[in-house]
Amino acid sequence: MRIVVLAGGIGGARFLRGLKAAAPDAEITVIGNTGDDIHLFGLKVCPDLDTVMYTLGGGINEEQGWGRAGETWSVKEELAAYGVGPDWFGLGDRDFATHIVRTQMIGAGYPLSAVTEALCRRWQPGVRLIPMSDDRVETHVLIDTDEGRRAVHFQEYWVRLRAEVPAHAVVPVGADQAKPAPGVLEALADADLVLFPPSNPVVSIGTILAVPGIREAVAGAEAVVIGLSPIVGDAPVRGMADKMLAAIGVETSAAAVAAHYGAGLLDGWLVDTVDAASVAAVEASGIPCRAVPLLMTDEAATTAMARAALDLAEAVREG
Ligand code: GDP
Ligand code: CA
C-alpha cells in the first residue's frame, strides 16, 4: 500500500510514528510543510521537516516535541554574548549542525528536496520525506502593532509573540509562484491512501495545499483521502491553532475544520470521541465520519489512531 501524508511538525510527526507501526509494510511518502522555514544567522532552518526527521529518526527531544534530544546551548550563549539575535528562537548546538549542512548544500546548488534526502540518509526516518516545494514559501501573519498593521514572519508570531495578538490574515508568501517539489505530484497520483494527520489546518496542511497543483492533485487523486482532527473538544490539543483558524474565519471545532477542507478534498474524517455529537453534521456534508480516541498520549494510542484511519479508508473504499 502506498500512503501519502501531508505533514506539519509535531502533530504530523507523532502521528507518523503511529502510522509506521500500524502499517509496517506500507510505502509512506511525507509531503512536508516548508512555510515555517526561516533564515537565522545566515542559516536556512526548516522546523517542520526537521521535526519529522528527528522524530522518526530517533533524535527528537520527546518532552518538547521539537529540537534534538540531549541538546546543549553553547552557540546560542555565545551569540547572545555578542549581542546577536534573535534570542527567541531556540537553536541548540546539535540542531545547528543540521542547518549548517543544509545551508552549505543549498549554497552549492542543491535543491531543498535533494538536501532533505541527504539529511535523511543519516536519520533513516523510514518514510520518504519530500518538502512541498523547492521554492521559497514563507508564511506571514498580519497583526496590529504600535506602528500600524504589519506582516510578521510566522515564527515571530508563533514563537516570539506566542500568538497572543489577534491575527487578521495568514499569507503563504511565495506560494502562488511555487512549484511542487519533484516527486510530490507523482506520489499523490500513485497513492492508495492520502492522510491529513492532526496537523495545523491553516499553517501546516493549508500551506501545503496552497502550492499550486497540490490541492488539485489531492482532490483528483484516485486515493481515498482521510483526515484526523487536530481539534478536540473545540480546542487545539497543543499550540494555538485556534488563533490561526480565527484568522481565516473558521470556527475552532472538529466539524468546522472538516467543512473547511470540504467534501471536495476529504473522503473521510475522524473526530475524537468527545466530539461524537458532531459526526452527524460532518456526514450530512457528505464526508463519512467516525468518532475514535484522538489523543496521541503514547505510542499505542497513536498506533490505534492510525489504524482507525486505515479502517475508515477501507470502509470508504468498499462504500
Ligand atoms: P507544528 O508544525 O509543530 O505546529 O505541528 P503540526 O501542524 O503537525 O500539528 C499541530 C497540531 O497538532 C495542533 O493543532 C494540535 O492541536 C495537534 N495535535 C497535537 N497533539 C495532538 C494529539 O494528541 N491529538 C490530536 N488530535 N491533535 C494533536
Ligand atoms: Ca509548523
Side-chain angles (χ1 to χ4, degrees):
M1 179 159 55
R2 278 172 294 213
I3 305 176
V4 175
V5 181
L6 271 48
I10 300 178
R14 289 197 169 154
F15 174 76
L16 281 161
R17 212 150 44 179
L19 181 64
K20 280 173 65 184
D25 300 325
E27 190 184 293
I28 302 172
T29 300
V30 178
I31 301 174
N33 172 43
T34 57
D36 291 16
D37 293 6
I38 185 167
H39 287 78
L40 294 168
F41 313 109
L43 301 175
K44 183 170 173 67
V45 180
C46 300
D48 285 0
L49 295 180
D50 289 349
T51 295
V52 170
M53 188 171 78
Y54 294 156
T55 301
L56 300 183
I60 200 78
N61 177 324
E62 292 288 346
E63 297 75 52
Q64 208 168 246
W66 56 271
R68 292 287 312 278
E71 192 56 284
T72 54
W73 303 90
S74 298
V75 175
K76 190 178 163 122
E77 284 158 24
E78 290 295 315
L79 287 165
Y82 284 112
V84 173
D87 60 0
W88 47 264
F89 199 89
L91 292 181
D93 299 333
R94 294 182 162 192
D95 201 18
F96 258 112
T98 303
H99 313 314
I100 290 169
V101 173
R102 174 185 293 123
T103 306
Q104 195 170 22
M105 285 189 74
I106 285 174
Y110 290 95
L112 182 62
S113 51
V115 175
T116 304
E117 198 180 329
L119 294 171
C120 284
R121 250 176 251 138
R122 170 184 175 193
W123 289 102
Q124 297 289 318
V127 301
R128 179 169 177 223
L129 175 61
I130 319 179
M132 65 190 198
S133 178
D134 281 334
D135 301 319
R136 182 165 169 174
V137 177
E138 218 169 71
T139 302
H140 288 192
V141 179
L142 210 56
I143 58 166
D144 289 328
T145 69
D146 295 342
E147 292 93 44
R149 198 157 279 192
R150 289 278 183 279
V152 296
H153 190 289
F154 170 72
Q155 297 296 356
E156 188 171 357
Y157 179 72
W158 201 251
V159 182
R160 187 173 78 83
L161 300 172
R162 300 181 182 285
E164 276 161 3
V165 291
H168 296 288
V170 183
V171 186
V173 178
D176 53 342
Q177 300 295 320
K179 290 177 299 299
V184 166
L185 297 182
E186 294 80 353
L188 287 166
D190 293 345
D192 302 302
L193 173 61
V194 176
L195 294 175
F196 293 2
S199 281
N200 190 304
V202 185
V203 291
S204 293
I205 295 178
T207 308
I208 299 170
L209 292 170
V211 176
I214 296 186
R215 175 184 291 276
E216 296 75 5
V218 173
E222 294 205 9
V224 170
V225 182
I226 304 288
L228 297 94
S229 179
I231 304 299
V232 171
D234 299 336
V237 176
R238 193 193 156 106
M240 298 79 74
D242 50 323
K243 301 291 172 48
M244 299 285 88
L245 287 165
I248 64 163
V250 175
E251 184 192 280
T252 302
S253 73
V257 173
H260 169 64
Y261 288 132
L265 281 184
L266 291 176
D267 300 311
W269 185 243
L270 292 177
V271 301
D272 188 82
T273 44
V274 303
D275 298 310
S278 65
V279 167
V282 175
E283 295 217 307
S285 71
I287 303 168
C289 184
R290 286 181 182 171
V292 297
L294 286 189
L295 293 182
M296 298 188 280
T297 42
D298 56 29
E299 189 126 8
T302 312
T303 305
M305 272 169 64
R307 219 168 266 133
L310 298 173
D311 289 348
L312 180 55
E314 181 90 18
V316 167
R317 217 176 279 121
E318 285 165 4

